[in-house]
Amino acid sequence: EYWKQWYQRRVRGIIISDWKVPSFMKIFYTDPRGYAVEHSIVDPVEKTLTLKSENINAASLFSFQEDIVYKGLGAQTSLQHEAKIRFSASRLVDDAAENWLFNRVSNAACDGLRAMDSIIDKVEAEMQSTLQSVGRTLDESITDAKRSIDESLADAEAFIDSSISDAKSTLDRCRTVEPTRG
């Protein structure tokens, strides 16, 4: 499997997002921004985009790990989504916080799928446009080349015909002229 990694594009980055923390959680978590480290892998052979992220702030209150895999399946994109959430603030808050975060993550994953489909549609439309343009350009080039070849052949035939005619005229003149003696 190691040899397959040479064609994959791997990126690691920091994600900063606005969590829109609900009021019941603001007691424990006052920063409205979330920070996570994300590893992404683009595999053009398997036609997948894999995203793996894990929170790096508020780790004493909760841990959040998310794995998303988008896979191209012909005209559609499939989504495989797994999120692991563990809160440790208090039992009263944990269930509500887990439900809130689960809904937020699920909605974000669906938005991501729509975005991927939109990007794929735009790329495919651009590729079709480019291919049509290249096709027109290629057709025009072939037509121009045929026209140029036809003109060159016509010029060559005219030159040959003219050369043959000139040669015949010269031969005819040579036959009609009597040699002079000197």
Side-chain angles (χ1 to χ4, degrees), residues 137-171:
T137 304
L138 185 60
D139 288 344
E140 291 168 358
S141 297
I142 290 171
T143 301
D144 290 346
K146 285 180 180 178
R147 186 179 313 117
S148 178
I149 290 170
D150 289 344
E151 289 173 1
S152 295
L153 286 174
D155 290 346
E157 287 175 0
F159 174 76
I160 291 170
D161 289 344
S162 173
S163 297
I164 290 172
S165 177
D166 289 348
K168 283 182 181 178
S169 294
T170 302
L171 283 175

Side-chain angles (χ1 to χ4, degrees), residues 6-166:
W6 69 269
Y7 58 79
Q8 295 177 343
R9 175 77 170 128
R10 296 170 177 265
V11 178
R12 183 174 68 172
I14 300 291
I15 299 172
I16 302 170
S17 60
D18 181 8
W19 284 352
K20 297 178 182 150
V21 177
S23 58
F24 70 87
M25 286 180 59
K26 288 183 181 179
I27 297 167
F28 301 102
Y29 190 71
T30 57
D31 189 352
R33 292 174 298 186
Y35 301 88
V37 64
E38 179 179 78
H39 299 271
S40 59
I41 303 168
V42 176
D43 187 333
V45 173
E46 297 296 323
K47 297 181 181 178
T48 59
L49 168 61
T50 303
L51 306 171
K52 296 178 177 282
S53 59
E54 183 174 355
N55 67 303
I56 55 175
N57 68 330
S60 63
L61 298 175
F62 70 94
S63 67
F64 174 72
Q65 296 173 335
E66 182 177 34
D67 295 340
I68 298 175
V69 178
Y70 298 102
K71 182 167 180 63
L73 300 172
Q76 291 187 320
T77 305
S78 74
L79 167 67
Q80 179 184 344
H81 182 229
E82 180 181 350
K84 297 175 185 171
I85 306 164
R86 195 184 97 248
F87 278 85
S88 57
S90 81
R91 289 185 183 242
L92 296 173
V93 176
D94 286 356
D95 288 339
E98 284 179 14
N99 289 335
W100 166 78
L101 191 54
F102 175 80
N103 289 331
R104 183 119 167 93
V105 167
S106 295
N107 290 336
C110 290
D111 289 345
L113 180 58
R114 283 190 290 276
M116 289 300 292
D117 283 337
S118 174
I119 291 167
I120 289 168
D121 290 344
K122 286 178 184 176
V123 168
E124 285 178 349
E126 190 171 314
M127 286 175 56
Q128 286 296 329
S129 174
T130 300
L131 288 174
Q132 288 173 351
S133 175
V134 168
R136 277 195 304 274
T137 304
L138 185 60
D139 288 344
E140 291 168 358
S141 297
I142 290 171
T143 301
D144 290 346
K146 285 180 180 178
R147 186 179 313 117
S148 178
I149 290 170
D150 289 344
E151 289 173 1
S152 295
L153 286 174
D155 290 346
E157 287 175 0
F159 174 76
I160 291 170
D161 289 344
S162 173
S163 297
I164 290 172
S165 177
D166 289 348

